[in-house]
């Protein structure tokens, strides 16, 4: 059971990053590079891919603009609500959506928050751009920011369940991959490996690749 008040925010960030990274990778394969001109989310779309990962970006925000679990979970709720307006997060818009959404959620849920200038420095964008993104985010949500504690707790439980299942899938995939390598080395004579070899040499592998996102 996810404890909204006591769960370590760093753990929440880790689980969120895992979820958002998988969703963006999945959407990157399905969506066109640039959104439609009429999209209300066009301001969030960057011209180039950020060099910082989602996990590192969320960790940076947590370090320099600390906030509670409610803020991070609220961001997921807002993302779900915005899908009705056509939002599809991808690698070109996720960072701007994250920094704008966290800033908006912090101002709504917390009595203590930082200036837009600080959020802009932490997020790596000009403060004038972040000001515009804040307004765009508020407009996209129709200024409906309230989320009940029950909904936040539900999202926390779902996020935790998804993360546990994903870790188990990763563990099983690792076992299968290691077994296949052992089988190749044990039962096959030494030979050169071609591009389409079913048993390639050991290499650095991304276990998240190919994992389906939760329905």
């Amino acid at each position: 059971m996810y404890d909204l008040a006591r769960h370590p925010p760093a753990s929440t960030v880790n689980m969120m990053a895992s979820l958002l990274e998988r969703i963006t990778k999945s959407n990157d394969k399905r969506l066109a590079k640039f959104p439609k001109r009429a999209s209300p989310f066009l301001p969030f779309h960057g011209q180039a891919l950020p060099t910082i990962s989602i996990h590192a970006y969320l960790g940076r925000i947590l370090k320099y603009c600390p906030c509670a679990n409610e803020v991070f979970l609220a961001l997921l709720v807002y993302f779900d609500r915005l899908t009705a307006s056509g939002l599809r997060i991808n690698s070109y818009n996720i960072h701007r959506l994250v920094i704008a959404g966290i800033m908006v959620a912090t101002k709504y849920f917390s009595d203590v928050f930082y200036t837009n200038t600080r959020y802009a420095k932490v997020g790596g964008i000009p403060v004038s751009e972040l000001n515009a993104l804040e307004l765009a985010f508020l407009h996209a949500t129709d200024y409906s920011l309230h989320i009940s504690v029950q909904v936040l707790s539900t999202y926390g439980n779902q996020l935790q369940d998804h993360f546990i299942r994903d870790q188990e899938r990763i563990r099983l995939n690792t076992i299968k991959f290691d077994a296949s390598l052992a089988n190749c080395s044990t039962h096959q004579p030494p030979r050169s490996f071609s591009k389409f070899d079913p048993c390639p040499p050991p290499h650095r592998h991304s276990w998240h690749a190919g994992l389906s996102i939760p329905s």
Side-chain angles (χ1 to χ4, degrees), residues 91-166:
S91 295
Y92 286 90
N93 64 21
I94 182 61
H95 293 74
R96 286 175 171 81
L97 284 166
V98 163
I99 189 63
I102 286 179
M103 186 174 72
V104 166
T106 302
K107 290 180 179 181
Y108 184 82
F109 285 97
S110 177
D111 293 330
V112 179
F113 52 85
Y114 300 92
T115 64
N116 285 23
T117 300
R118 183 179 178 90
Y119 284 111
K121 288 181 179 180
V122 172
I125 58 177
V127 65
S128 58
E129 182 179 356
L130 183 57
N131 291 340
L133 293 179
E134 180 181 21
L135 291 176
F137 196 94
L138 288 168
H139 181 72
T141 59
D142 198 24
Y143 294 85
S144 179
L145 303 178
H146 177 72
I147 306 170
S148 68
V149 173
Q150 290 76 13
V151 170
L152 290 173
S153 296
T154 297
Y155 269 73
N157 287 329
Q158 292 176 345
L159 179 64
Q160 186 169 255
D161 290 344
H162 290 158
F163 184 76
I164 292 173
R165 288 199 299 268
D166 285 341

